[in-house]
Amino acid sequence: MARQYFINGETMISVKGAAGSLISSTTQLGLSQDAIEVTEYYLQDDIGVDAYGNTGRPNPPDMQIFGSFAVFRTNLVHYDPLILQECIRLSFGNAPAEGQQSRAGTLYGNNVPLYGAGNCYISVGVSSPVGGIPWTFLSCHMAEQPFTYPLGTKRSVVQVQWRAIAYSVDPWNNGTGSLGVPVYTHNLLV
Amino acid sequence: MARQYQIFGEALVNLRFGVHVPFPPGTSQSSPNIWQLGLSQDAINITVHDFHFDVKTDSYGPDIPPETLCYLGDAEIRLKLVHYDNTALGFWLREAFAGGSAGFNDAQPAGIMPYAGTPMGGGLPIYASGNHYVGLGITSAIGYPPWRFPSTYLAKPPVMYPVGTKRIIAECSVRAIPYTPLTNTGGGYQAQSFGTVLFDHQNL
């Protein structure tokens, strides 16, 4: 691909969740007020060797990587509030209704594949109509401060913070562990 | 093997029971009784203990021996199970107490006591019916040489279970010894340690 200015374009956010939920098929959530900022976190560990001077400050001759996760924020300005409520409900561990709690200690994946009944993860798709490089985060949940909902006479711009992990039903994966398990892809969410 | 960083990789823990313990569902009783136990939360710690006896002589003074005698060794393995088969762990705990009062192919759970003083091996070949030692295998997903301890039992303390809403991480302490059945060398039955395996790097 040639070097150029990259413009993602008008970005639609879509979501898909568990069978039996309101978002069991890919559903539009809405549009963001401004850019959606994606931050990837790498989990890396330095290998300290005395021959390199292992004084406690990093001077590693090599490192190991132990996976990653992503955090992204969407400031929703033109959105379907019912779909947003369903995302909130699922992100609270598949609670009976938005605003209610789930059982303490509920597993998000619950030993079920993505989109299976009982799996709380939400796939979030970020379209790229101009740039042509969409982002799909396969196993997300609202995180930290999941949302900030301003209520008043001005239009509510809901600030939603998402976290995407590399979910696996079986972390052993026939001996491959986390190899090939996606945090995100550049395929459209379907 | 050239000098390099040693990385074991993703470690899977397997157990091999005596044939008196129920076999995993769907497996033939003509094959080894191997259960897949599961995955550890973090590194599995293996500590090998040695036992040496100092032979003192006055000419060397009271503290330092000119010679020591090797009196074998045992091993201690600590693991924190996070994604595991609770049935397999239950059988391992039951066998740690010499099988409780379970009979052949009995799915009796852990927590039942045996006769006080029951021998764990009972002079039987390893993995034979009635031998309560359990083989422990730690397999590397990236081809690093595995660890195999043919005769282990949960011990000191066997298991610590935090019970609550968070996922249970079962902290297991394991003792491995170089078990040998009694052999008759013509002068009566005796236990000979020569060649007995405490651990090796074979598959379970």
Side-chain angles (χ1 to χ4, degrees):
Chain A
M1 182 180 271
R3 177 169 50 83
Q4 58 185 319
Y5 297 111
F6 184 80
I7 298 169
N8 198 63
E10 304 86 345
T11 304
M12 173 60 70
I13 301 159
S14 301
V15 290
K16 182 177 179 182
S21 71
L22 277 183
I23 56 172
S24 57
S25 58
T26 300
T27 308
Q28 283 183 0
L29 173 57
L31 302 171
S32 184
Q33 179 187 53
D34 43 24
I36 296 163
E37 296 182 350
V38 178
T39 305
E40 181 84 355
Y41 291 86
Y42 283 179
L43 305 168
Q44 296 155 325
D45 200 22
D46 294 341
I47 296 178
V49 179
D50 189 65
Y52 254 53
N54 190 13
T55 63
R57 288 156 59 175
N59 184 29
D62 204 347
M63 295 165 44
Q64 291 181 277
I65 185 155
F66 290 103
S68 69
F69 63 91
V71 172
F72 58 99
R73 300 172 202 279
T74 56
N75 296 328
L76 298 170
V77 65
H78 194 269
Y79 54 93
D80 185 334
L82 289 180
I83 300 302
L84 178 60
Q85 286 175 11
E86 184 66 350
C87 292
I88 293 169
R89 184 188 73 80
L90 285 170
S91 292
F92 273 63
N94 198 23
E98 183 216 3
Q100 294 183 3
Q101 310 261 7
S102 59
R103 296 188 88 103
T106 297
L107 278 169
Y108 272 83
N110 209 14
N111 300 309
V112 171
L114 275 181
Y115 317 132
N119 186 310
C120 307
Y121 288 111
I122 301 166
S123 292
V124 178
V126 179
S127 72
S128 179
V130 173
I133 304 179
W135 291 67
T136 295
F137 300 88
L138 287 143
S139 31
C140 303
H141 59 96
M142 294 182 181
E144 303 288 330
Q145 289 178 296
F147 59 88
T148 301
Y149 220 125
L151 302 171
T153 54
K154 289 186 76 172
R155 76 276 178 266
S156 293
V157 177
V158 183
Q159 301 164 45
V160 180
Q161 179 162 316
W162 301 86
R163 179 174 177 244
I165 68 159
Y167 171 68
S168 281
V169 175
D170 177 6
W172 174 247
N173 277 318
N174 289 318
T176 58
S178 60
L179 177 69
V181 183
V183 176
Y184 63 86
T185 71
H186 290 301
N187 303 316
L188 266 178
L189 180 63
V190 293
Chain B
M1 182 182 273
R3 174 172 51 82
Q4 57 186 320
Y5 299 111
Q6 303 296 319
I7 299 172
F8 191 81
E10 300 89 341
L12 180 66
V13 181
N14 291 303
L15 301 175
R16 183 173 177 180
F17 294 101
V19 295
H20 59 285
V21 174
F23 278 62
T27 58
S28 164
Q29 298 206 354
S30 60
S31 54
N33 190 1
I34 294 177
W35 286 70
Q36 192 181 88
L37 178 59
L39 306 172
S40 183
Q41 181 192 43
D42 48 25
I44 297 168
N45 290 311
I46 298 169
T47 306
V48 180
H49 300 289
D50 68 298
F51 294 87
H52 285 83
F53 180 80
D54 292 346
V55 180
K56 301 270 183 69
T57 65
D58 186 66
S59 57
Y60 255 54
D63 298 313
I64 301 300
E67 173 69 289
T68 60
L69 304 178
C70 175
Y71 278 111
L72 314 182
D74 65 0
E76 176 188 338
I77 303 104
R78 292 185 184 273
L79 57 155
K80 296 180 182 178
L81 295 169
V82 65
H83 195 265
Y84 55 95
D85 184 334
N86 205 36
T87 302
L89 180 58
F91 286 142
W92 200 11
L93 183 59
R94 183 188 88 181
E95 292 300 292
F97 291 94
S101 63
F104 182 85
N105 201 30
D106 188 342
Q108 180 188 85
I112 312 296
M113 292 294 107
Y115 286 111
T118 301
M120 290 285 285
L124 298 166
I126 206 154
Y127 312 133
S129 179
N131 185 319
H132 301 291
Y133 288 109
V134 178
L136 170 64
I138 305 171
T139 307
S140 162
I142 60 172
Y144 199 87
W147 286 77
R148 179 177 69 161
F149 300 86
S151 39
T152 75
Y153 59 96
L154 291 168
K156 299 190 185 312
V159 168
M160 197 278 287
Y161 276 112
V163 181
T165 55
K166 289 188 79 172
R167 72 274 178 268
I168 296 175
I169 296 175
E171 297 184 31
C172 301
S173 297
V174 187
R175 183 177 185 226
I177 67 155
Y179 171 76
T180 185
L182 299 175
T183 52
N184 190 346
T185 59
Y189 284 93
Q190 54 187 294
Q192 291 195 333
S193 62
F194 185 75
T196 304
V197 177
L198 171 62
F199 66 87
D200 60 21
H201 297 292
Q202 308 298 319
N203 288 316
L204 191 59

